[in-house]
Amino acid sequence: MKLSTFTQLLLCSALTLGVSEAEAETYKCEKDGRTTFTEIPCTDGKASELKLNSNANPVTDSEYQRALKNKKNDEATLKKIETTRDKELAKQDKENKALVAKNEKKKEKCADLQQKLKWAQEDARNASIKNEEKAKTKVRRASEKADQACRN
């Protein structure tokens, strides 16, 4: 039996398509707690057919390398951002600590001047007539200093 060239090509194409379809069929078999993958249906045990996308384009080496490079660049950028953030947080923390220390020092100075004002007032109450003007001046100055230091 002699086949024409066209028929031979058609038959060859059909066989090629049939082979590629058969290669696309994969079966997942589970037996005795073990899972295996095979091209033929399972004879016993639990079986399920997996549909694989035969039209899927595999990732080329250049695409993989580009993705790897992008990942490394993203990681480097993330590290720079985190480093910058950590530096800013440390700077902010240092500024906050300095501000707290400054406020504490101001409170201590205010308390000290308030105490000196109380002492000046007590001295003025106990001052003799001769030292009364001097004691009042001392109270006025202590009051001015305390008011200035204790303002917010």
Side-chain angles (χ1 to χ4, degrees):
M1 167 169 139
K2 182 135 174 131
L3 299 173
S4 69
T5 308
F6 177 76
T7 308
Q8 288 176 351
L9 284 173
L10 187 60
L11 185 59
C12 228
S13 296
L15 287 174
T16 304
L17 283 175
V19 169
S20 65
E21 284 294 320
E23 288 175 352
E25 292 178 7
T26 303
Y27 297 91
K28 178 180 175 183
C29 301
E30 293 181 22
K31 182 178 179 182
D32 298 329
R34 292 182 56 210
T35 303
T36 57
F37 297 92
T38 180
E39 293 177 356
I40 56 172
C42 304
T43 55
D44 55 346
K46 186 178 175 187
S48 59
E49 183 178 348
L50 299 176
K51 296 289 184 181
L52 301 177
N53 188 353
S54 61
N55 296 331
N57 295 330
V59 176
T60 64
D61 190 44
S62 63
E63 290 173 331
Y64 176 77
Q65 293 300 325
R66 191 172 344 128
L68 195 59
K69 184 179 178 182
N70 287 342
K71 178 186 172 210
K72 288 179 182 178
N73 288 340
D74 290 346
E75 288 172 347
T77 302
L78 177 63
K79 188 170 183 172
K80 286 179 185 177
I81 290 170
E82 288 175 341
T83 302
T84 303
R85 184 195 65 205
D86 290 344
K87 286 180 182 178
E88 288 175 1
L89 289 174
K91 180 181 175 184
Q92 195 175 35
D93 190 43
K94 185 178 178 182
E95 289 172 356
N96 288 342
K97 286 180 180 179
L99 188 60
V100 166
K102 182 180 176 183
N103 286 338
E104 286 297 318
K105 189 173 181 179
K106 185 177 178 181
K107 283 181 183 178
E108 288 175 9
K109 185 175 182 179
C110 178
D112 184 49
L113 291 173
Q114 289 288 340
Q115 184 64 42
K116 287 182 180 181
L117 175 61
K118 285 182 182 180
W119 291 336
Q121 289 169 340
E122 188 177 317
D123 288 345
R125 280 193 301 272
N126 297 328
S128 63
I129 296 174
K130 180 180 170 187
N131 294 330
E132 191 175 334
E133 278 303 312
K134 190 176 180 183
K136 285 182 181 179
T137 303
K138 187 176 178 183
V139 168
R140 186 175 39 85
R141 287 184 182 160
S143 177
E144 289 172 357
K145 286 182 181 180
D147 288 345
Q148 186 179 11
C150 297
R151 270 189 231 137
N152 291 333

